[in-house]
Amino acid sequence: MLVAAFAIPAFAADPHRLVLQISDDEPAKMRAVLDVAANVSRHYSGQGEDVEIVVIAFNGGLDMLLDDRSPVKERMTNFLKSMPNVSFIACGNTLETLGVKEGRRPPLIEGVNVTQVGVAALMEFAEKHWTIVRP
């Protein structure tokens, strides 16, 4: 049984904000990111509170968002359809590097957004007081 030792004040007007980082090409870590997103979303919706969740993928973690090779593609597609509070962002630099290496830019799963520098996006979210977690 979990007992809270202190009360966290409620700020109903502000949604909770979480950024999840994925930079490893390991399917288990990709599944962990999706598990965390689902669990956090369910937790706050169960309390009647809003939560915004952003997943930022760069380096090897970008495979999670690639249409032609994501080991979690089916689950990603379901997330994009059923969880409007969860969004996915791919690192443009990693996409460009893969494009040069493979001779073409790999396609993203439909609904994934792109930022030029994934780590810079993480920094900007942190500067806006979002919580950043790397499962």
Side-chain angles (χ1 to χ4, degrees), residues 22-23 57-63 66 69 90-102 104-106 108 114-119:
I22 179 71
S23 54
F58 58 95
N59 291 341
L62 188 69
D63 281 2
L66 298 179
R69 69 188 82 165
C91 174
N93 283 344
T94 304
L95 274 172
E96 289 173 17
T97 299
L98 282 174
V100 169
K101 180 179 171 185
E102 298 176 3
R104 67 169 181 90
R105 180 175 161 161
L108 292 168
V114 178
T115 188
Q116 189 57 44
V117 181
V119 174

Side-chain angles (χ1 to χ4, degrees), residues 37-105:
N39 290 338
V40 169
S41 184
R42 276 194 299 269
H43 171 76
Y44 285 113
S45 65
Q47 295 183 1
E49 298 177 29
D50 292 329
V51 62
E52 297 174 19
I53 302 170
V54 175
V55 176
I56 298 181
F58 58 95
N59 291 341
L62 188 69
D63 281 2
M64 177 179 176
L65 307 182
L66 298 179
D67 191 55
D68 62 351
R69 69 188 82 165
S70 174
V72 292
K73 181 178 177 179
E74 183 177 336
R75 196 161 173 213
M76 284 283 311
T77 302
N78 291 334
F79 256 82
L80 288 161
K81 288 179 185 172
S82 65
M83 301 189 82
N85 64 321
V86 180
S87 59
F88 297 87
I89 300 175
C91 174
N93 283 344
T94 304
L95 274 172
E96 289 173 17
T97 299
L98 282 174
V100 169
K101 180 179 171 185
E102 298 176 3
R104 67 169 181 90
R105 180 175 161 161

Side-chain angles (χ1 to χ4, degrees), residues 8 11 21 39 53 59 64 69 84 93 108 111-112 127 130-132:
I8 300 172
F11 299 100
Q21 171 189 331
N39 290 338
I53 302 170
N59 291 341
M64 177 179 176
R69 69 188 82 165
N93 283 344
L108 292 168
V112 171
E127 290 163 359
W130 284 58
T131 300
I132 298 177

